[in-house]
Amino acid sequence: MNARIFATGLLSLCASASFALENGLARTPPMGWNSWNTFAGNIDETKIKGVIDVMVANGMKDLGYIYVNLDDNWMANPARDASGKLQADAKRFPNGIKALSDYAHAKGMKLGIYSDRGSMTCMNVPQSGGYGHEADDAKTYASWGIDYLKYDNCNTVGQMQSDYTTMSKALLASGRPIVFSICAWQTQSWMPDQGNLWRSTTDIADAWGPTGWSVLGNWDGQVGNYIYTRPGAWSDPDMLEVGHGKLTEDESRSHMGLWALAAAPLIAGNDVRSMSSTIKAILTNPDVIAVDQDSAGIQCRKISDNGDLEVYVKPLGKDFSTFAVGFLNRSSSTQSLSINWSSLRLDPSSVTVRDLWNRTDLGIKKDGYTVSVPSHGLALIKAKGTPDASATWWASDLPFTLLSNGYGTFKQDKSIDGKDLKLGTKTYAKGFGTNAASKIVLPIYGKFDRFQADVGIDGEVNSGGSVAFQVLGDGKSLFQSNVLKSGGAPVAVDISVAGVDSLVLVATDGGDGISYDHADWAGARFTFSQTPTGILAARGAVHDWQAQVRGDLLSIRRTDAEPTILAVRDLSGRLALKRSVAGTNAEIDLTGLPHGTYIAQLLSSPSQRIFVRN
Ligand code: GLA
């Protein structure tokens, strides 16, 4: 892609509602391989080409594992030439990095590289750090055809946020789309804005845990990050140890399954050139990969925790009907774990289950699901059913992303200080406790009718707080409060959100700074839309033509085959779409038509069809 097309792509992305680093990359979690876990610094072009060849031949590439990432020690020692330009090690990479990326690209793969925000990488190679060289290094990577940069946190000189921001901007300015992987072994709220992924934890090691550098140790550092994860911005609990050596088969499956539930990057770290068929089957299970790569891009949440037994849920898709559920057994013996469909807000009589490791459909399970899980195992299912409109749809139980919070630690179902949410004399079990200025995004995909909440400054503040609350639906203001003060009466929000794709809850500081601005969205909840998708009513003779809406397609069936024109108007009569229709069967693509209610008319007929575009 040349620089101009890339820049145009950025513009169009900015126009759509998106909330991450706007380089258009990694809209699903990156997948690939990295050299560190198996080879540490012992890498050369023969090994890397061998890995590329195998990943193409064994099907990993076709399943999405496309990034092959060089980790530490690809560079010369010292790492720069007299002019300060980075050099590959001439013995181990005699043809240079550009030749290697050409090799990868010719095979449909992509090449990643590694550097550090300090003066040297973690292997202390002299001059290898990017500090002060960001713009030049980004241009070098672009000229070498690099597609991904992992940027480490050793031998630091500058300040963390500013160093990573400098490199993020340098990559954007390089003219080449390059995935930016922040590797600072922690989570900071600015990271999702600057990186496509950020390493949430210390290094992983070839160990199960439960603590330290291990699968469970890293997992426990990742679990809370669902509040940040979103398309384009992934929390990364580090590369996979599957097939590296020490994990048992059950532990390897658990590791892979947990990372998929978390929408974590799937970067294999084993020697893929010599893996067993069992390990290959774990890394290449298409059903498990599909959980990781789901387009909604939501990280799972833990919904029950009984000591060693935990249940995790990841919503799939955009209609609140489908979930991946993981049942983790940390104990040393086989245990039984269960889920009740009310915790997914599904009508129990409708729920079908698929076992994802065995890739088999288990049919309708109306009494919930119970499964026997071996020690250190993770059972993984997909549950699909009809959303129960009569359930209470608490906002804090639904997928959301915290974009910002002014001070302290954002809370779900508690005030910012960790107490019960309290407005006036009333306490609330559910809601969001923030400190202005704060912003929360709820992707609701046009599935809800109303949003309700009580807003105000939490009762834990006696005086001094002042906040204005606002609700935006797809960028339009749907609600705006006056400046509310501590001790004042809460304000009830009760608004239509019909057809809204993403709802943003904003609390601003009331114009006087953020002190004491403990802004609550107390009792925040939705009503599920009971308006069915599709045709609501037909005006006029129904025999001359019929219509049906399914997803993005409007299907037309008619008796008359003569060419005519379909006009789709909104309820105020404005023309929204016009298409020619020929033959008795026609399919009209509705992609791009906003959510809402429309009237469809064929010019050859006086009758109209009213439909809802969800
Ligand atoms: C750090 C990183 C690892 C790896 C090594 C390389 O420890 O966290 O993932 O890149 O450096 O030296």
Side-chain angles (χ1 to χ4, degrees), residues 34 36-37 40-41 71-73 114-116 121-124 150 152-154 183-185 199 201-204 213 238-239:
N34 172 294
W36 183 253
N37 288 0
D71 207 280
D72 208 345
N73 212 36
Y114 164 93
S115 185
D116 188 285
T121 62
C122 296
M123 283 182 68
N124 300 329
K150 171 176 168 182
D152 219 332
N153 190 43
C154 284
C183 180
W185 328 313
R199 253 284 287 291
T201 58
T202 54
D203 290 17
I204 198 167
W213 294 19
D238 208 359
M239 302 164 293

